[in-house]
Amino acid sequence: TQAKLGTLKLDLAHTGWIMAVHLTNASGAQMDLPKYISMQYPTEPASSFIWNGNPFSDSVKMDVTTGTVTSTSSDWERKAGIYFVVNQAGYPLYRGRLGIGSTRILYRWVVSTPQIEQMKVEMKLANDTSTDSTNRLPGRTVQNGKVYHVFLKWDGTNLTLTKRDGTPY
């Protein structure tokens, strides 16, 4: 009852933001969805932090009541990346395919500092080969509660980060 609980105060401030990755198959053939797409800082950042729950690490924790992020790992790479697990057993898109000219949008919730440094992109294909993007995602300022769109084009050989209109960065 209200008498026993007193006044309940909630702070519904956003604790992160959403990254929406638009993966377009610009090759001449239908493709299996990649096993994963990973975005990561190419070198250890001085002060920027970005993380969304690396599935291979439980070293980063967030106190949602304060927004404080801590880590027990000394390995910065476990704390500085965004991972989209896509085509792996147990995930909804397992054995999924992407038609010629088709686009699939993938979403991840992200916790970060407001300033994001440029990131490299790696895509692990269904046949276990990995490819890095031919360019990098530029650094930018982000705001909690917003959705930021990233566009990836796969031509069968190269993975390219593009602007919304399809032109490379």
Side-chain angles (χ1 to χ4, degrees):
T1 65
Q2 185 174 2
K4 288 184 178 180
L5 288 176
T7 302
L8 182 62
K9 293 181 182 178
L10 297 175
D11 180 6
L12 298 177
H14 291 283
T15 57
W17 49 276
I18 300 287
M19 180 180 277
V21 170
H22 301 245
L23 175 63
T24 298
N25 178 9
S27 73
Q30 185 178 41
M31 68 177 281
D32 292 324
L33 287 172
K35 287 191 173 185
Y36 67 80
I37 296 171
S38 168
M39 296 183 191
Q40 198 164 34
Y41 293 149
T43 59
E44 184 173 2
S47 60
S48 184
F49 172 84
I50 189 165
W51 182 76
N52 82 326
N54 180 339
F56 311 109
S57 170
D58 62 353
S59 65
V60 178
K61 302 205 182 317
M62 178 180 188
D63 180 337
V64 294
T65 60
T66 65
T68 303
V69 179
T70 58
S71 177
T72 58
S73 176
S74 59
D75 181 3
W76 70 269
E77 291 175 323
R78 293 191 178 270
K79 305 179 282 187
I82 302 171
Y83 298 86
F84 293 82
V85 179
V86 184
N87 187 7
Q88 294 188 33
Y91 285 83
L93 297 176
Y94 182 55
R95 295 189 175 149
R97 300 193 59 123
L98 191 58
I100 300 168
S102 296
T103 299
R104 171 70 68 158
I105 305 172
L106 308 165
Y107 298 92
R108 284 304 304 237
W109 174 75
V110 180
V111 174
S112 74
T113 51
Q115 183 58 43
I116 302 301
E117 296 178 23
Q118 68 173 248
M119 290 187 281
K120 64 179 183 173
V121 180
E122 176 191 12
M123 183 169 75
K124 186 167 190 176
L125 301 171
N127 66 5
D128 284 328
T129 60
S130 293
T131 185
D132 290 338
S133 61
T134 58
N135 55 353
R136 294 198 172 152
L137 186 63
R140 67 168 302 150
T141 301
V142 294
Q143 183 179 352
N144 287 344
K146 301 282 185 180
V147 177
Y148 296 93
H149 297 267
V150 174
F151 300 88
L152 289 173
K153 181 174 76 174
W154 172 247
D155 69 7
T157 304
N158 295 310
L159 181 66
T160 307
L161 285 150
T162 71
K163 299 174 187 171
R164 187 177 295 272
D165 66 6
T167 59
Y169 277 106

